[in-house]
């Protein structure tokens, strides 16, 4: 339902006023300005935004003295597109957020440099996006639980320079914690190829969906749409790598950062002695979420301060069996 008091709807009523004042129907105005009748109808009812070109044509045909173009000045003070404002309001009060993104790092997790590249240097838009991130670090009320799933391609898509990507990926790992998780869906066919979306859970348990399209985002609380999105999110999440193989810096339930420096590292028997790849493994406390209470950490011995991968003992055993069976040998 259109907000009849939104600036966009008020602008549409002004267009209708000037059109009727000169005795033109929507069809007649469409012929004179060379825009479709359906577009004019949508603009007059506040359902569609008017472009500056459209306003200029209408000013000339309706002899308004440039009034319609001047009335578009309200947009200059608008940081977010009109269709995004409704979602931002929901996002700000959400108690939980679930998102799947196939193309870019989710906006709430973007660094300033990454966001600047995506938004093509729009200073106001970048500042607004960074301001949205405040919900993840607020103290009262507590931050929403944030569950993110991203396509693996997002990690390899070069947005800006190599330094921009390095900073963004480091940030992605650093923000993971008990209330924020990031999982990665491997390359290939999966349930998330139809597009990105976000589900906000509000106080009281109701859910709202934000779905992206080629031209704008859509916010809806339609029960069937929301249910379909939740079902799709869970399907995508089951196809994603486990949390132990996705970006992670701490124990999900423990909340403290893993101290890998005190772990007893040993060189894997699959590392070469000829200066090639050197892999180290260590057993670390996996927290109460794991039945065994242990995880296997794997890192490059030449870069002890670099990232580490984590496997459950079962996953590590399966990996070693695969190595023994030659499943990971390079193809000629």
């Amino acid at each position: 339902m259109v907000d009849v008091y939104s600036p966009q709807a008020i602008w549409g009523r002004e267009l209708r006023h000037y059109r009727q004042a000169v005795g033109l129907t929507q069809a007649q105005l469409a012929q004179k300005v060379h825009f479709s009748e359906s577009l004019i109808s949508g603009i007059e009812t506040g359902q569609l935004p008017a472009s500056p070109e459209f306003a200029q044509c209408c000013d000339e045909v309706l002899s308004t003295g440039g009034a319609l173009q001047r009335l578009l000045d309200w947009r200059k003070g608008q940081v977010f597109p009109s269709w995004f404002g409704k979602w931002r309001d929901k996002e700000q009060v959400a108690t939980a957020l679930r998102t799947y993104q196939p193309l870019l790092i989710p906006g709430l997790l973007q660094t300033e440099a990454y966001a600047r590249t995506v938004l093509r240097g729009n200073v106001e838009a970048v500042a607004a996006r960074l301001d949205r991130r405040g919900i993840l670090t607020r103290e009262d009320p507590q931050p929403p639980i944030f569950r993110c799933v991203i396509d693996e391609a997002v990690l390899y898509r070069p947005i800006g320079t190599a330094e921009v990507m390095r900073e963004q990926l480091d940030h992605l790992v650093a923000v993971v914690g008990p209330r924020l998780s990031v999982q990665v869906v491997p390359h290939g066919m999966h349930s998330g190829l139809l597009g990105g979306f976000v589900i906000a859970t509000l106080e009281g348990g109701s859910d709202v969906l934000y779905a992206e399209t080629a031209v704008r985002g859509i916010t809806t609380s339609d029960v069937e749409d929301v249910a379909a999105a939740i079902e799709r999110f869970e399907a995508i999440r089951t196809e994603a790598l486990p949390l132990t193989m996705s970006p992670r810096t701490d124990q999900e339930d423990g909340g403290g950062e893993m101290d890998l420096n005190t772990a007893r590292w040993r060189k894997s028997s699959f590392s070469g002695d000829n200066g090639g790849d050197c892999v180290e493994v260590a057993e670390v406390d996996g927290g109460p979420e794991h039945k065994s209470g242990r995880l296997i950490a794997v890192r490059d011995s030449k870069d002890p301060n670099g990232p580490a991968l984590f496997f459950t003992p079962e996953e590590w055993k399966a990996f070693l069996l695969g190595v023994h069976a030659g499943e990971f040998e390079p193809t000629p």
Side-chain angles (χ1 to χ4, degrees):
M1 180 179 295
V2 175
D3 179 0
V4 296
Y5 296 108
S6 69
Q8 182 171 298
I10 293 172
W11 195 96
R13 290 198 293 275
E14 287 299 300
L15 171 62
R16 180 188 294 121
H17 165 76
Y18 284 112
R19 174 181 61 78
Q20 293 176 340
V22 297
L24 293 179
T25 64
Q26 290 180 347
Q28 291 170 332
L29 177 60
Q31 290 181 336
K32 292 180 178 293
V33 298
H34 305 294
F35 285 89
S36 70
E37 183 179 350
S38 61
L39 175 66
I40 294 173
S41 175
I43 291 175
E44 289 191 354
T45 56
Q47 298 178 61
L48 296 174
S51 67
E53 295 75 18
F54 177 82
Q56 180 180 359
C57 290
C58 289
D59 275 334
E60 294 173 356
V61 170
L62 303 176
S63 302
T64 67
L68 293 174
Q69 290 182 79
R70 291 193 297 274
L71 286 172
L72 280 184
D73 283 349
W74 65 269
R75 288 182 179 170
K76 296 179 180 178
Q78 186 182 37
V79 177
F80 298 106
S82 57
W83 45 262
F84 188 78
K86 183 186 297 185
W87 168 252
R88 182 180 181 276
D89 292 342
K90 303 298 184 184
E91 181 182 74
Q92 291 292 306
V93 298
T95 59
L97 294 166
R98 287 168 283 180
T99 185
Y100 165 69
Q101 296 299 330
L103 301 176
L104 297 169
I105 298 293
L108 290 176
L109 300 181
Q110 291 179 7
T111 62
E112 181 176 352
Y114 188 97
R116 187 184 302 114
T117 303
V118 171
L119 297 172
R120 302 184 183 278
N122 186 319
V123 177
E124 291 78 12
V126 172
R129 179 160 297 182
L130 297 181
D131 183 65
R132 286 173 52 212
R133 301 189 313 182
I135 66 171
L136 301 179
T137 55
R138 69 192 182 195
E139 295 183 359
D140 187 22
Q142 65 178 343
I145 294 173
F146 195 13
R147 302 304 179 206
C148 306
V149 182
I150 59 176
D151 191 285
E152 185 178 2
V154 173
L155 303 177
Y156 299 104
R157 179 168 292 110
I159 301 297
T161 65
E163 182 58 36
V164 169
M165 285 301 299
R166 184 179 301 110
E167 180 189 34
Q168 175 61 71
L169 296 180
D170 286 344
H171 176 71
L172 196 64
V173 172
V175 296
V176 171
R179 299 180 66 84
L180 194 161
S181 63
V182 179
Q183 289 178 263
V184 178
V185 184
H187 283 305
M189 182 70 182
H190 58 75
S191 302
L193 299 181
L194 295 180
F197 58 90
V198 192
I199 303 162
T201 300
L202 308 179
E203 193 76 37
S206 61
D207 292 311
V208 179
L209 168 67
Y210 175 76
E212 298 170 344
T213 72
V215 293
R216 64 177 60 86
I218 299 172
T219 301
T220 178
S221 55
D222 180 84
V223 175
E224 292 186 1
D225 289 342
V226 171
I230 293 175
E231 182 178 345
R232 183 166 296 276
F233 179 81
E234 294 304 325
I236 298 170
R237 197 174 181 186
T238 61
E239 298 175 60
L241 296 174
L243 287 171
T244 53
M245 297 176 66
S246 294
R248 173 191 176 104
T249 57
D250 70 318
Q251 302 169 49
E252 289 290 319
D253 290 330
E257 187 172 330
M258 282 188 178
D259 186 3
L260 299 181
N261 293 320
T262 60
R264 297 182 60 182
W265 292 92
R266 63 182 185 277
K267 189 174 180 181
S268 169
S269 59
F270 294 102
S271 297
D273 294 320
N274 57 357
D277 293 337
C278 296
V279 177
E280 289 183 328
V281 298
E283 280 194 53
V284 296
D285 183 7
E289 72 198 79
H290 298 287
K291 294 179 180 179
S292 67
R294 309 296 290 171
L295 288 176
I296 306 300
V298 184
R299 73 181 184 186
D300 183 349
S301 65
K302 299 189 299 297
D303 186 17
N305 294 319
L309 294 177
F310 298 91
F311 300 85
T312 64
E314 294 78 13
E315 291 167 343
W316 183 243
K317 181 178 180 180
F319 173 73
L320 294 181
L321 290 174
V323 172
H324 281 295
E327 296 177 6
F328 304 105
E329 292 295 326
T331 55

